Amino acid sequence: MKKKKFTKKFLATAALSAQLVALGAGAAWAVPAANLKVKLLAINDFHGQLSPKTVSGRPAGGAAVLASYLKKAQSGMEDRTIIVSDGDFVGASPANSALLQDEPSIQFLNTLANPYCLTDKMNARCNLLATVGNHEFDEGTAELFRMMNGGNHAKGPFIENPYSGAHFPYIAANVIDTATGKPLLPPYIIKTVRNTPIAFIGAILKDTPNIVAPAGVVGLTFIDEATAINSYIPELQAKGVKAIVGVIHQGAADVDTIVGKLDGEIDLVISGHSHGSVNKLVNNVAGRPVLVTQAYSAGTAYADINIEISPSSKDIVAKSANIVTTFGDAGAGLTPDTAVAGIVATADTVVAPLVSVPVGETSDLITRSQTPAGESALGNLIADAQRAYEGTDFAFMNPGGIRADLDKGIVTWGELFTIQPFGNQMVRMSMTGQQIYDLLAQQWSNPASPKMLQISGLSYSWINNGAGKAGTINEVRKNGVEIDTAATYTVTTNNFLSGGGDGFTVFKNGLNPVIDAADIDVLVSYIRSLPVPFDVNIDNRIVRSEAAPIQFVYTSDAHYGITRKDLVASTATVNAQAVNQALVASINSLQSTIAPVAIPCDNGVNACASSVGALDFVAETGDVANRQEASKLIQSAAASWTQFEADYLNGLTVTDRNNTKAPLYLVPGNHDVSNAIGYYKTLSPAFDATSYVNIYNLMLNPITPLTNAGFIGTSATDAAASYAGNKVYYSKDIGGVHFVFIGMWPDSAARAWMDADLRKVSSTTPVVLFTHDEPLLETKHLINPNEVRNHTINSTDKFENLVLGEGAGGYASVATINDPSTVEQRALVAWLKNHKNVVAYFHGNTNYNEFYTYAGPDSDISLNTFRVDSPMKGMVSGIDAANGIGDPSKLSFQVVSIDPGATQMTVREYLWNTKTWGTSKTVSLAPRSN
């Protein structure tokens, strides 16, 4: 017995000791439980885009490709992944979705649902959820609930019978049923991932009633997004939820404002509506950083969001995201989801008999892109169609109702439906001249985001009073004569606008409204009446003028990596960084408030102004980096770019008319290109594309930026191919002037690009061209320098892809490498004769200041041309051949002032080392006569 008692006592003591040891170990040495890793895959603004689109010249998106990407992204984490749609999943959809009431799009998203969704869409372990966007209300709440809950449409069944609805929940905290005062939809949903709760609170932009047809939101109230979201935080906290995500259908600066008012418990916001790429931190009201994402639109991208949740606090303790483009020619895009592809194919088959019907043919692309004034070629076409059909004085079309461009070639019914997918009807009414003025003023109801109506039958001009400020309507004309404010005019619009949509409430006061035909039928009928093929251009129905002149500074040929005689004409030398820093300081001093720089009284634009004033941009046209020749011990392009970035990108502080930092516009020069693709002389390193790729990335902002390693590849052939496929061409519109920036020289490839670009503006809009080489170009810049025969002139060694299509005759016409090519110039002159609104040509390369007229090799053209000095290689301000020392007092850049209303431009030489003005020239911006 004693033994037995001893044994029990021993066992009890041992058990107690084991417990104490375990407790001690847990308190001091146990490894903490790992954070729970969860993935959120977010899409926004899908808009029923079942078929692929094109992004940067590559196929992207389409439901089957998007599904493949989303499935691959969650591989291995299926039980820890939640897929989120941030609104506008349907609406404004192409025909293969819209004509079937967007049911195929919902069916596609249903394929991503896990089994928990299929049994109960409100199940906490269902892996899908969505919030509503403004387009979910396009057809009203009855259709919204049918889309969510199922049931055949009156025009159905379509490809599912009966239609089963969405297999996932919709949430929105700020959409209130006015009659009950309660949310129309569940305000939030709590998901559980491995027993850890995560709350998602939905919201839609409170401005929805202003951008949806009134019938679509009748009986609803849209309250402040942040107020609605914050109101549910206590309720979620009471339920023990700490990880909280906002799903808000709003974007751009508006969503930043919302985030700034959100409760400190909000960790993450998925946004939409503005169709952009967002991946940033914005502080909430408690000053805590909130991760905000958005992934473009139409299924061309998704946000891959990774969060970590602490097992102890149940709160999000880490968060990050990547915005992934869904390219169809790489990765998961190579294996589209077969089930989803089947849904799309069935939808295509059902709508094919209607959408494939030919209606007409265009001779060129007709775009919805607006000029800075607010006019678009496609808007002109649609407004003209509506006015012609109704036979009214004027027609007005809302720009948000134009959803796609009209491609070159055969026009089908389906393409026109994609452009106008809302099924709106024409409304004819009468309005007074004063109401027309008041209506146009309402384009700035929200000055931060004006909505420019597309018009027919009238023209008008307006004054730009600056960003965030309403424009001022000058004069409205019919057939060139100002309209009478007391007279009555007939007007055509659509039922969306006639109900006060987009804030155009003046329409609601129109008299004798008559509802007529569907907008798609009107457009189809009009296009069938046009010549084959037809074209539409910008014709300055809307003209914008500036309250202040357009102004910019122009310089070129920074040539980092070399030295020059110093700035006081001594025998000492100074490096390029010191010189360029001095130049930048002089540009900055133009806006000094302590010692204002006055404009000289030279009878030019802005003459006698007491200060230079706002500068809309600074331009630098190449040779940022000097060629990195080993024998001259010149630094690499990478080192030169680092210095240029510090001095120009970071050092320039001048501001524009909106009092924000003025942008810097760049193009590469021959030295930048030589470093990138190689040279016949030894370079060190042999290839360095740093300056070229950075110029390309900064100016073109590609979805996939270029890299130095990717550009140069493994050989000169790789580098040449990269250069051929990644040219720096872009344009900017400021105050009614179209500025075009072309790398190197306007060769045939550049001219082809400009042909398309200049369709954005009218034939009378002034076009100002910036490039590196002068019109009388250097022939050696046309030859491939990566050639052992030292710039031999022949048809095979030309500068890779710089000049295309002119042929060997260009070289045969040149006596030596230093002579100009008449063939190449004649090709440029022929192009200029077809574009008489190209009124000025700015260039660097030859390194001195000169204002001259380019006449062409045959003296049959007259083009105002402006050559600018180089701070390092100036022929006058730099090294002088006679005595080895140039005149640094002649160092200059150009200050340019433009008055678009008077069609005048004044170019002034500014001697920046002595801070004095040099020569000036005032020229007309009216189209050239030859």
Side-chain angles (χ1 to χ4, degrees):
M1 293 293 293
K2 290 181 179 178
K3 185 176 181 181
K4 189 173 183 180
K5 288 181 180 179
F6 173 80
T7 302
K8 287 183 177 179
K9 183 176 181 181
F10 172 79
L11 291 174
T13 303
L16 179 60
S17 299
Q19 291 175 18
L20 291 171
V21 170
L23 286 171
W29 299 290
V31 176
N35 291 336
L36 173 65
K37 295 182 178 181
V38 178
K39 185 178 288 290
L40 307 181
L41 301 176
I43 57 175
N44 56 274
D45 301 271
F46 182 70
H47 289 295
Q49 189 65 49
L50 298 174
S51 305
K53 294 174 70 70
T54 300
V55 174
S56 298
R58 299 169 62 186
V65 165
L66 176 59
S68 180
Y69 270 92
L70 294 177
K71 288 182 177 181
K72 183 176 181 180
Q74 61 182 305
S75 179
M77 292 186 65
E78 288 85 352
D79 68 327
R80 289 175 288 143
T81 298
I82 299 170
I83 299 172
V84 182
S85 170
D86 188 68
D88 281 5
F89 188 77
V90 298
S93 308
N96 60 352
S97 184
L99 293 179
L100 308 180
Q101 290 301 125
D102 281 311
E103 290 180 17
S105 293
I106 298 296
Q107 289 175 260
F108 142 56
L109 196 54
N110 285 344
T111 67
L112 300 174
N114 65 18
Y116 297 102
C117 304
L118 303 182
T119 56
D120 177 10
K121 68 173 71 175
M122 301 304 292
N123 189 302
R125 297 182 67 183
C126 171
N127 67 326
L128 288 177
L129 68 99
T131 191
V132 285
N134 49 289
H135 283 289
E136 268 81 10
F137 291 93
D138 283 343
E139 297 187 40
T141 54
E143 175 60 11
L144 170 61
F145 279 104
R146 188 199 71 84
M147 181 193 69
M148 292 190 299
N149 300 327
N152 288 342
H153 190 270
K155 296 180 181 178
F158 301 114
I159 62 177
E160 184 184 28
N161 187 18
Y163 168 62
S164 61
H167 298 170
F168 50 89
Y170 275 84
I171 57 174
N174 70 324
V175 184
I176 308 300
D177 184 323
T178 307
T180 66
K182 297 180 179 180
L184 180 73
L185 301 170
Y188 64 82
I189 190 163
I190 301 172
K191 300 290 187 180
T192 58
V193 177
R194 295 189 178 179
N195 297 318
T196 300
I198 308 171
F200 295 83
I201 310 177
I204 177 178
L205 67 157
K206 64 183 179 183
D207 196 40
T208 294
N210 290 326
I211 59 174
V212 171
V217 292
V218 65
L220 300 178
T221 302
F222 293 76
I223 65 174
D224 181 77
E225 305 92 339
T227 300
I229 291 172
N230 290 342
S231 71
Y232 290 99
I233 299 299
E235 185 175 317
L236 291 169
Q237 289 175 321
K239 294 181 178 181
V241 181
K242 295 289 291 180
I244 304 176
V245 178
V247 185
I248 307 174
H249 187 74
Q250 178 59 290
D254 293 316
V255 81
D256 292 353
T257 301
I258 295 169
V259 173
K261 299 189 293 182
L262 289 179
D263 189 278
E265 292 299 310
I266 302 292
D267 303 288
L268 166 67
V269 164
I270 296 167
S271 71
H273 189 59
S274 54
H275 297 195
S277 175
V278 179
N279 184 6
K280 64 181 180 181
L281 296 173
V282 179
N283 286 346
N284 58 29
V285 73
R288 298 170 186 160
V290 176
L291 177 62
V292 182
T293 68
Q294 186 176 166
Y296 295 106
S297 66
T300 58
Y302 65 94
D304 190 329
I305 306 166
N306 293 293
I307 61 175
E308 294 187 25
I309 301 175
S310 165
S312 56
S313 70
K314 302 299 183 183
D315 202 355
I316 295 174
V317 293
K319 54 206 173 191
S320 63
N322 288 306
I323 308 303
V324 181
T325 301
T326 54
F327 287 120
D329 58 1
L334 297 173
T335 54
D337 186 275
T338 54
V340 176
I343 294 171
V344 176
T346 302
D348 286 341
T349 300
V350 172
V351 302
L354 179 57
V355 301
S356 60
V357 173
V359 174
E361 183 179 356
T362 64
S363 58
D364 214 324
L365 172 71
I366 301 174
T367 78
R368 56 183 171 152
S369 299
Q370 293 185 6
T371 67
E375 179 182 352
S376 76
L378 188 51
N380 288 350
L381 173 68
I382 293 171
D384 285 349
Q386 295 176 356
R387 184 170 69 95
Y389 187 89
E390 297 293 342
T392 55
D393 294 312
F394 308 136
F396 299 93
M397 175 64 193
N398 56 303
I402 306 174
R403 306 301 296 189
D405 296 335
L406 185 57
D407 291 331
K408 177 181 179 179
I410 300 298
V411 178
T412 64
W413 188 96
E415 286 179 281
L416 298 182
F417 184 87
T418 298
I419 291 169
Q420 288 192 283
F422 295 109
N424 287 327
Q425 291 178 285
M426 296 295 93
V427 178
R428 185 174 64 253
M429 65 177 70
S430 297
M431 300 177 72
T432 66
Q434 184 59 55
Q435 286 177 317
I436 300 297
Y437 273 94
D438 295 342
L439 174 71
L440 294 175
Q442 285 189 324
Q443 294 176 125
W444 291 274
S445 294
N446 178 5
S449 181
K451 293 180 172 65
M452 305 303 292
L453 293 168
Q454 302 303 286
I455 61 174
S456 178
L458 68 153
S459 62
Y460 70 94
S461 60
W462 61 277
I463 299 172
N464 174 32
N465 295 312
K469 297 179 181 179
T472 303
I473 302 296
N474 269 339
E475 187 176 76
V476 182
R477 304 178 187 87
K478 176 185 177 184
N479 298 326
V481 178
E482 185 176 7
I483 64 172
D484 183 349
T485 57
T488 298
Y489 300 89
T490 54
V491 168
T492 298
T493 188
N494 58 44
N495 59 298
F496 169 73
L497 285 175
S498 69
D502 273 349
F504 291 101
T505 57
V506 172
F507 277 121
K508 297 169 72 173
N509 299 321
L511 298 178
N512 306 314
V514 176
I515 299 176
D516 206 341
D519 56 2
I520 181 66
D521 295 335
V522 169
L523 185 58
V524 167
S525 174
Y526 183 74
I527 289 178
R528 281 177 171 158
S529 73
L530 297 177
V532 179
F534 71 91
D535 194 12
V536 181
N537 294 298
I538 300 293
D539 54 18
N540 284 351
R541 299 177 186 191
I542 309 173
V543 174
R544 166 177 146 174
S545 59
E546 300 299 317
I550 302 166
Q551 294 195 128
F552 61 89
V553 167
Y554 175 49
T555 184
S556 189
D557 296 82
H559 283 288
Y560 279 82
I562 63 173
T563 60
R564 59 156 288 158
K565 300 299 181 182
D566 73 15
L567 304 186
V568 293
S570 71
T571 57
T573 60
V574 63
N575 64 38
Q577 185 164 29
V579 175
N580 280 282
Q581 285 174 346
L583 183 151
V584 168
S586 293
I587 295 175
N588 291 336
S589 72
L590 292 176
Q591 293 183 333
S592 170
T593 57
I594 298 173
V597 177
I599 300 288
C601 294
D602 53 9
N603 296 316
V605 176
N606 211 25
C608 301
S610 59
S611 64
V612 171
L615 292 167
D616 292 288
F617 63 89
V618 176
E620 208 280 357
T621 54
D623 284 359
V624 165
N626 199 82
R627 194 164 40 242
Q628 54 206 23
E629 294 182 31
S631 63
K632 298 179 180 178
L633 301 178
I634 295 174
Q635 68 187 22
S636 67
S640 292
W641 180 262
T642 297
Q643 294 173 344
F644 177 82
E645 185 175 35
D647 298 342
Y648 282 80
L649 294 175
N650 299 327
L652 282 166
T653 61
V654 290
T655 55
D656 62 15
R657 65 186 61 239
N658 299 317
N659 202 32
T660 58
K661 185 174 179 178
L664 175 64
Y665 297 141
L666 306 169
V667 297
N670 57 293
H671 283 247
D672 301 305
V673 180
S674 295
N675 289 334
I677 73 171
Y679 196 60
Y680 74 94
K681 295 181 180 179
T682 302
L683 302 183
S684 180
F687 303 95
D688 187 343
T690 301
S691 63
Y692 189 93
V693 301
N694 276 287
I695 292 171
Y696 182 93
N697 291 339
L698 284 169
M699 298 302 104
L700 275 66
N701 193 28
I703 290 176
T704 304
L706 299 181
T707 64
N708 181 50
F711 188 98
I712 64 179
T714 59
S715 67
T717 301
D718 290 343
S722 294
Y723 176 59
N726 297 282
K727 293 300 185 67
V728 178
Y729 306 150
Y730 62 96
S731 62
K732 303 290 179 180
D733 291 289
I734 304 173
V737 178
H738 192 66
F739 297 94
V740 177
F741 298 84
I742 296 295
M744 282 302 301
W745 188 77
D747 63 359
S748 58
R751 294 194 296 271
W753 180 88
M754 289 191 291
D755 279 334
D757 178 71
L758 294 188
R759 286 179 56 81
K760 299 175 184 176
V761 299
S762 79
S763 60
T764 58
T765 298
V767 176
V768 175
L769 178 62
F770 292 84
T771 190
H772 181 67
D773 266 36
E774 61 272 34
L776 188 77
L777 77 167
E778 285 196 60
T779 302
K780 66 184 180 183
H781 291 173
L782 309 184
I783 315 301
N784 185 353
N786 192 30
E787 159 56 45
V788 296
R789 287 170 291 185
N790 193 356
H791 284 316
T792 303
I793 299 174
N794 59 71
S795 61
T796 60
D797 296 327
K798 59 186 178 181
F799 203 127
E800 180 64 30
N801 211 36
L802 174 61
V803 177
L804 297 175
E806 281 75 40
Y811 308 103
S813 69
V814 180
T816 72
I817 192 66
N818 294 316
D819 288 343
S821 167
T822 55
V823 171
E824 312 301 350
Q825 288 185 75
R826 283 173 178 149
L828 174 61
V829 167
W831 183 86
L832 288 168
K833 287 181 177 179
N834 289 325
H835 297 280
K836 290 185 169 60
N837 57 331
V838 178
V839 292
Y841 186 120
F842 287 83
H843 70 87
N845 184 52
T846 38
N847 308 325
Y848 60 96
N849 188 82
E850 183 184 16
F851 308 153
Y852 66 103
T853 300
Y854 174 67
D858 302 309
S859 299
D860 57 347
I861 195 172
S862 180
L863 177 64
N864 290 310
T865 308
F866 303 90
R867 186 192 323 267
V868 75
D869 188 30
S870 163
M872 295 304 296
K873 289 189 172 182
M875 291 179 64
V876 176
S877 63
I879 303 301
D880 183 272
N883 55 28
I885 300 176
D887 182 359
S889 69
K890 301 298 184 183
L891 281 163
S892 67
F893 52 71
Q894 294 169 3
V895 179
V896 184
S897 302
I898 298 175
D899 183 347
T903 62
Q904 283 192 325
M905 175 174 73
T906 300
V907 182
R908 296 180 173 94
E909 178 188 28
Y910 187 71
L911 303 168
W912 60 264
N913 196 28
T914 59
K915 296 188 179 345
T916 57
W917 293 98
T919 60
S920 68
K921 183 177 182 179
T922 298
V923 299
S924 171
L925 295 182
R928 307 182 330 270
S929 60
N930 65 350

